Each structure stands twice: as C-alpha cells, then as structure tokens.
Amino acid sequence: MTRTTVLIKNLTRNRLRTTLTVLAIALPMFVFTMARTMVEQVHEMLAESDLKLRVAVHQKLSFTSPLPQRIREEIEGLAPEGYITAVCRTSWFGGRIEGKPAAFASMAVDRDTFAKVYAEFEITPAENERFQEERRAAMVSPELAKSQNWKVGDRVTLTGSLPPNPKMEFVIVAIPPKMSRQWFYFAMDYYDETLRKLTGSPAGVNNFWVKCSSPEARQWALTAIDKHFASSENETRTELESTFFAQFMKSGGDWVGLTWNVGRLIVLVAVAVAFNTMSMSFRERTREIAVLRTLGFSAGKIVRMVLSEGVLLGLIGGLIAVGPIYALTHLTEFSIPRMGTMQIPNQTAAIALAVACLCGLLAALVPALMAGRLKVATALRKVV
Amino acid sequence: MAYIELQGVHKVYRKRNLEVPVLAGLSISIQAGEFVALMGPSGSGKTTLLNLIGGLDSPTRGTIRVGDAQLEQMPERELTAWRSQHVGFIFQMYHLLPVLTAAQNVELPLLLFKMAASERRERVQLALSVVGLEDRSDHRPSQLSGGQEQRVAIARALVTDPQMLLADEPTGDLDATSAASVLHLLERLNSEFNKTIIMVTHDPKAASHATRQLHLEKGELFADKPREAAMVEY
Amino acid sequence: MALPFRYNVLSLAARPTSTITSTLLIAIVIGTFAYLQAVTDSAFSTMAATGDPNTILVLSQAADSESVSRLGKDELNKLEMTPGVVRNGSGPIISPEVVAISSGYTKDDDNVTVNAAVRGVDYDAACAVRHGRVRILAGRPFQPGTYEVMVGASTQRLFRGHDIGDEIQLGTRGVRPFKVVGVFTTDGTSADSEIWAYSETIRDVYGRGSYSSARMLVPDEQAGRTAIDFINGPEVALSAKTEREYYTTLSTNQTVTQVLSVIMIIIMGTAAAFAVANTMYAAVAGRVREIGMLRAVGFGRVNILTSFVLEGLLLALTGGVLGCALSLLCDGMQRNMLPRTFTTVSYGLAITPKIIGTSLIVAVAIGLVGSIMPAWRAARMSVTTALREA
Ligand SMILES: Nc1ncnc2c1ncn2[C@@H]1O[C@H](COP(=O)(O)OP(=O)(O)OP(=O)(O)O)[C@@H](O)[C@H]1O
Ligand SMILES: [Mg+2]
C-alpha cells in the first residue's frame, strides 16, 4: 500500500457521489474540449490560408460589387517578374438545384489557373486536363458529392442565385479528395458566355485570387495593387486571405468566439461541482483526518492529500471527457455538419486534461486548507 | 528519571470571553513501563490530560516532558513528527478508516517512514499477530466486531513500536467479553513488551488491570482513591 | 399532513457551503442558457420586427433577397395597377428602393471590414410605406439629388467614422464621398443597420439601371393577399411577399445557435442535476435518523418523498432565479448577424419574459431530475433501520 492507494480508496468511499461528481466534471470539460477544438480549427484554417501566400483583390467597398474581368491582365502586368505565380478569378454563382431550397457554395473560376492557385486541393494533371477539355466541366468537394449523391460523369443542372439567375448544365469531371467543405467550381468562360447570351453583358468578378511566389511578393501585392487602381474607375482592396475570411466571422456574430466563451465559462461548473464534493467529503471525514494527525501525519501531508484527491477527481473527469472523443476522432473519420472532419488536437486534449486537474485542485483548495488547520484535539471531540 | 514528567500544568479553555479552567497546576511523574489507569468524573479533564501528554494539545502553563521531549516548547511540526515515533493512540470509537482493510489500517502510520514494502508487511503481520487477528487482515472494519475493531486499532498504535500507548476509554463501547480481551491485551503489552500505558476509564474493573490508578477531580490528581468511594461515584 | 416547507428551508440553511455552491452552479448554467436563448431569439425577433405584415415587398422573380433582385422601370409601372394598395393624393403608396452594399471598419477592430446595406430611397415614400416607424434621432434627412446620407442608429454605433459630419465612401464605378447628415431609427428593426440615401444618386454611383425592390402599403391582410396574388400572377409576373414573411426567412444561422444552445443546456443541465443529486444525497444521508423519527411519528413515505423533492426544487429554483438575474446583465448587449444579403445586421439582446420562463422551467427540471433519486432513497428507508442508523 502507498499513499496513492489511500487516495484512490478515499474516492471509492462514496461511489455514487464520486461517479456523479466525475461525470458532472466530464460534461462541461467535454464542451470545453469541443469548443476549443472548433476555435483551433478555425484559427488553423486562417493561419494555413496565410501560408498559401494568396491575397484577395476585390472592389474597394465590397467583394459583392463585381469588377471587370480584364483587371486580371492588369494585375499580371503590374507585378515584377516572378512575383506572381498565377491569378484566379472567382465569380459567385450561388447555385441551387431546382426545387431544393439549400444553396451551396458554387463559384465560377479561371480554367487555366485554378489548379495552380488552389494548389492545396492537389488536383491531378489528369483531372485538370478534363477540366480544360469539357466546356461545362465542374469539380466538387467529396463532402458535397456525398451529400448530393454525385459521381464523376454526372450531369447537374443548377440555377444561379444572382440575376439573371441563369440555369446551367454542368458535367462533374473530378471530385478531388482534398477539396474541402461544400464547394462546387466550374469554368468562368462558360459562365461568361451564358451571361452574355442572356443579358448581353459579361460576368463580373468578385475576387482576383493572387497566388504570390514569396512573402515579399505578397507584401508587395498587398500595397502595390491598390495603389495602382486608386482613384480609377475600379478601386480595389487587397487583403490577406485570412482577413478576407475573418470578416464573415466578425459580421456574422462570431459564433466561434461565442462558443469558446461559453466553453470557458462552464469550466466554472466543473469547479463548483468538484468543490461541492470535496467540501462535503471533507466535512464527513473531519474526524478521520484528526486521527491521521494523531498518527503523525503532518498538516502539510494532509493538505497535499486533500489536494491530490481533488486533482485525481478532476483528472478522472477530464479523461472521461477527452478520452473517448479523442479516440473516436483519431481512429475514425469523424465529421460534424458545417465544420467538416474534426480531430481533437493533442495540444487541446492536453490542455483540457490540465484544466480538469486544475479545476480539481482549485476545488480542493479550501477544504485542504481547512484540513491543514484542523485542531486535532477539538476535532476528535466532535461527534459527527 | 521518570519517563513522563508534568509540572504545574494548567489548562484553561477560552470560550469567547468565558474562561473554563480544566487543569489547575497539575504535577505528576510516570515511570517507563508503568500501566496507569486514569479515572475521574465526566468533564474532569481526563481526555484533556491525555491529549496534552500525547502532544495533541498544549498546556496554558506548566511543563510536560516525555522521554527527552519537552512538549510545551515544541512547535506543531516537531510534535507531529515526534508523535509518529513515540505515541500510539487508542480511542473509544476505534476510528479506523472504513475504506481500508484491517492490514491497510495498521500499515497507515508506517507510510510516514522510509521503509521497504516487505518490511512494512512484516511489521503489520507482527502487530496483527500480537493482537491475535492475523487471519482477519483482509477484512474491512465493517466486517469486524467492535472488539476486533478495537484490537486492530491497538495494532495500528503498536506498529510503529512507540514507547507509550495512550488509550481513551478503550473499552467504553465494548461488551464485557470483548472488553476483557482488550484489557488483557493491554496488560500483556505492558508486561511483555514493556510499553508505558495510560488508560482513561470509567470502569473500576478495567482500572484494576493497571499497575497504578490515578483520580482526576476538580483539576487535581489524587493517587489511589479508596475503592469504596470509587464504587459509589460510578 | 405534509411536512412544513420551513423545514426544507432550514435544512438548506444548515448546509450553507453545499447549498451556496449548488445554487451558484445552477445560476451559471441557467444564466448561460438564458444568454444563448437571447442570442437566438433576439436575432429572430429583430428580423421579424423588421417585417411589417401590412407591407408588401416585391422582388424579381427568382430572387430570394433584395440584394440579388432587379426591377426595371416597366415592371414598376405595372405595379401601379396593383389592387388593394393604400393610396394618397398622387396615387398608390409605392416605394421603389435600390439596395447596394458598403463596407467599413468597426469601432473596435482595425483590421476587419464589415458590410452595411445601402438603401437608395425616396425619403417620403420610404417613410410612408413604413407608416411612421422612421424617426430621426439627430440631424436631418438627406436632400434629394445630393451626396448626403443618413445612417441607422446601429450603423452609427458599429462603424467607425459614421457620425454626423463625417464623410463615407460609397459606389462602385469610382468611389464617391457622401456626407452623413442624420441618424435615424426604425425602433430596432434591421433598417437600423442600414445607410439611406437618395435613390437616384445611389443608382448612379453603383451603376444600377434598375431598382432592387418595391414596397407597397396595404390596409389589411385581405387586401394584402389580393395584391400578392395580382403581382405573382401572369400580368406582372414578379415575386411578392409580405415584408414579415420575407424577413423571417432571411436570417440563416439561427438554427446553428438553436442547436448549439439545446446541446449546451442538455450537457450542462445534466451536470447541474448531478450536482443537485450529490447535495441531496448528502442531505438524505445526514438526516437518516430524522427521517426515521418523522416516519415513526406518522409521516408517510409520500410525505418524505415530496419533502426532499421540494427541497431539491427550492435549491434549483433559487439558482434559476439568480441565473436569470445574472442574464439580465447582458440585456441590451449588441451582437451582429449576417443574413443572406451579406450585410451585417446588429441587434440588441433582450431577456424576454419568455426566456425567463423557459429558463425557470429548465431549472425546475434540473431540480426534479437531481432530487428524485435521493428522495426515493429517503422514502424507501424502513423506519427501524433509519432509527438504528448512527
Ligand atoms: N475545546 C474546548 N473548549 C472549551 N471547553 C472544553 C474544550 N474541550 C474540553 N472542554 C471542557 O473541558 C472539560 C474537560 O473535558 P474532558 O473531555 O477532558 O473531560 P473528560 O474527563 O475526558 O470527560 P469524559 O469522561 O466525559 O470523557 C469539560 O468541562 C469540557 O467541557
Ligand atoms: Mg473524555
């Protein structure tokens, strides 16, 4: 037997209470873990998008006001030799299957530069070739293909969400495994042609995604492009990809931030639950602690014992909160709607465990100090 | 030189602004190897005195020496360490930890010493065999009778091999047979192992097992109160 | 004969640490729940309040929002013939409006831009179809034909540099400065997050040949249906809805929070119920003898059961009330949402009686779930064992 044995035995004293407590710690810690994972995922997405050395060039006030297509050539001509890898124009199409309400994210893109600018999709040369050859070619993300039951070769008709709401037929030529979320990409020239036929005017461009060759080149792009178009008819704003995406989060009420705040707040629930239990069990054990003191256990040892008990309680709660979901997300392809596949990062798991232990420690602090200050002679007298 | 030496010990409890004097200038010496029965009416201060000798409480005035230790001068931390080596406590309500087995309860005080697990096991076995409970080592307190529980508690007090055992009404909660076996055990510990024992008791029959009887009354000690008088009182 | 309620109050007071901790814990849970409710509900009610059931909104046929709708002059002329529309001296009350987009930095963040809807209107017609809901808070309305704007109260609050006297940039084909001359409110509707200017000027700087939408005032629901049928019919062939219908379908991400708050409350409520159970089990364990005594003098099992359940409920309700009180702290806090128009709408959180009601019901549920098992254990105990128990 060791002191740890005594510690563990103490937790088995009131099994029901320990179980309830551990679960009541695990539940909020689970929310904490999930919330942090979500936040991490978003931050990682933003951080990763900056590694891609892409900037977005759009109309000065809003990307929803389209710019003319020819600006692409102007940007390409502007850059010093070797600064720009490629420019891909994107036009929002929206896209809706007739009769179904849910719109997904479909976008017209430049055929020639798409694979290069969106290198992270890892579009194979064969896939890219098909994208060049088929006039109505479309590439879709696996997630979208799965939800719509699409295969390569399928014909799909979509209605655009913007006026004049063209109805267009597409042929799915590739489902690149690395393409994320609910994206649907097709060729800009096909869109342009359709619009010209319908309205006589060309397709406008929401964003010019400029893939730079180096961080210096990107720095150049962030200022030089806007300077060039300043006080022209088409004033632009050039932003980092992360800044571009951050605006949606901010103006949409920052759900990620909200979730994280709630996730952190309810750690307090774990602390309170643990504190309740620790103080109850301390009260019931006052006499036992006094006996331990008569046996020669010092006040310091008693304090450490009570603190360890709290930490152990927190740790078990933390393990229950983190363990199963960690295993689940690491051993299987675990995805939640709108967030894509999810994996609890090691760091988050470690932080959650540490926070759980800390909760236990915090909760045990007052009972531990009380146990340490116990007047032995008086406590022995007390009839519990 | 006496093993236990109290001189002019006063103990006054303060309850808000009310002072409750319990011991009033008490002096006594007890030799090593004595078995003292401490008697007296309820509230006379027997437990208080025992706690003082065991270093659980400190006197308001006066000096207490046990062996080489001058208790009233020692800070709490030193007293704690001293207790673990020199004192074994035995309580009326046994005070075993319900979650631990008999053997584990006995082993508890040994966790304070640097000691190999095998040596600890040996000592626990020895202590349990002294109290005659080696076959109950895996039982929990709830699976033992009151007398057995008290014997486990005695084994726990013994296991560190202290010179002195302090027992506060150890038979107070036991039936006659169990009480007798506990008293015999204490007697044996005193005669065979030469332990110095101070036992508080209300029972003159229990006190008769001791080598010396002391009576505490109104804050003062009287030696060897006549038997008849004691009979009337209890 | 039931046990007096005072008995429960006293026994809660006898265990102050445990009672206070459990109460606080429930307060945190209920407070958070009320807050999340307010986030969803207020977003929804802001949108719903924006929509007037007696205002008809006309969009082009396939458009699902004003921002992607286009109405030409011919189409507007056809609307003049709509039956059932309220008229004034010069004809039916119709407000053709053009909706564009502008962007700016928020007051608290240097880096990120957010979008605001720019609405080009004829001021008098726009006020007429909103029958008196537009109020000027400061300054004055814009003058027709000038580069002047008035900003909604939420816009002024959210954006940097949108105060009276400031100049803001609007337009696509070359951005132009507009002067802010007034601040208006429409009593908490989404129009408070807009910028209003003269319609022809906006059409000009945004290069719009057409309008986005038209609003018409109808006297009642009956007239509204007639008007909507006429507009949706073959003669006009546009898409008409009541404004209320339009705005309630416009906000998108509400379901996410709704699901989020339901999941949260289930998880956190369970945790809170466990805490209540712990407290109540301890209460039962500490009062075994008392229970034995009560049963011995003639209280039945049902009395004991109800008494402990009541005690749990009292604990949970106290926490619930405290949580609701805490949640009132965030009453009036501003949040943003992004409807399908891609323009930010700010809204104030409101802790409504409905939210308080739901939260208290959840608190009661927590109390019930948490105390039923301990109460059952107390009620099940036999009198003799209870009395014998140490
Ligand atoms: N912490 C305390 N504060 C105040 N008074 C105390 C305290 N502890 C003990 N007393 C008082 O001191 C007196 C002696 O108590 P003590 O427990 O030593 O008596 P006792 O002889 O052991 O009695 P019993 O035979 O009933 O066990 C009693 O009057 C008691 O009320
Ligand atoms: Mg006593």
Side-chain angles (χ1 to χ4, degrees), chain C residues 330-346:
Chain C
C330 63
D331 192 63
M333 249 161 64
Q334 294 290 316
R335 279 190 62 80
N336 301 332
M337 63 177 152
L338 193 65
R340 255 184 284 135
T341 50
F342 278 126
T343 53
T344 299
V345 174
S346 300

Side-chain angles (χ1 to χ4, degrees), chain B residues 56-227:
Chain B
L56 292 178
D57 212 346
S58 47
T60 316
R61 243 180 322 130
T63 62
I64 304 173
R65 182 183 58 74
V66 178
D68 309 325
Q70 204 65 49
L71 299 190
E72 80 282 355
Q73 292 172 5
M74 285 158 68
E76 168 61 31
R77 177 193 297 269
E78 278 175 39
L79 276 176
T80 304
W82 173 80
R83 271 203 305 269
S84 68
Q85 292 176 23
H86 299 274
V87 199
F89 282 96
I90 300 158
F91 307 96
Q92 178 179 359
M93 301 301 298
Y94 338 126
H95 294 331
L96 299 177
L97 266 54
V99 285
L100 301 182
T101 63
Q104 286 171 330
N105 264 294
V106 176
E107 191 179 350
L108 206 54
L110 293 181
L111 296 180
L112 290 166
F113 298 90
K114 280 206 164 63
M115 198 179 279
S118 57
E119 191 188 342
R120 282 209 304 260
R121 217 171 310 124
E122 265 168 45
R123 281 214 188 201
V124 170
Q125 279 312 309
L126 185 66
L128 279 172
S129 71
V130 169
V131 301
L133 284 175
E134 52 275 64
D135 53 340
R136 296 298 165 100
S137 54
D138 289 332
H139 289 222
R140 301 209 173 220
S142 58
Q143 299 163 320
L144 297 171
S145 75
Q148 289 169 334
E149 275 191 81
Q150 189 61 296
R151 271 144 66 197
V152 173
I154 294 174
R156 180 180 64 187
L158 274 183
V159 77
T160 52
D161 195 24
Q163 171 51 217
M164 174 171 77
L165 294 179
L166 301 178
D168 197 349
E169 301 184 41
T171 57
D173 224 40
L174 298 177
D175 65 276
T177 345
S178 305
S181 83
V182 164
L183 288 166
H184 274 118
L185 179 58
L186 289 176
E187 222 175 350
R188 228 182 92 216
L189 291 173
N190 173 248
S191 57
E192 234 173 84
F193 298 89
N194 204 32
K195 300 287 179 208
T196 310
I197 301 178
I198 304 179
M199 174 179 75
V200 171
T201 181
H202 284 282
D203 179 7
K205 244 166 84 193
S208 67
H209 289 261
T211 55
R212 178 178 169 197
Q213 297 188 10
L214 291 173
H215 294 263
L216 190 59
E217 219 173 322
K218 300 202 177 79
E220 287 176 71
L221 268 179
F222 302 92
D224 309 318
K225 205 173 183 186
R227 244 204 177 173

Side-chain angles (χ1 to χ4, degrees), chain A residues 377-379 381, chain B residues 11-15 18 20-23 38-51 57 92 168-169 200-202 216:
Chain A
T378 323
R381 245 171 236 285
Chain B
K11 182 69 188 177
V12 181
Y13 285 114
R14 226 173 284 277
K15 245 186 196 163
L18 195 77
V20 188
V22 179
L23 304 178
L38 185 58
M39 308 182 67
S42 183
S44 57
K46 302 181 295 294
T47 301
T48 305
L49 179 58
L50 212 62
N51 286 348
D57 212 346
Q92 178 179 359
D168 197 349
E169 301 184 41
V200 171
T201 181
H202 284 282
L216 190 59

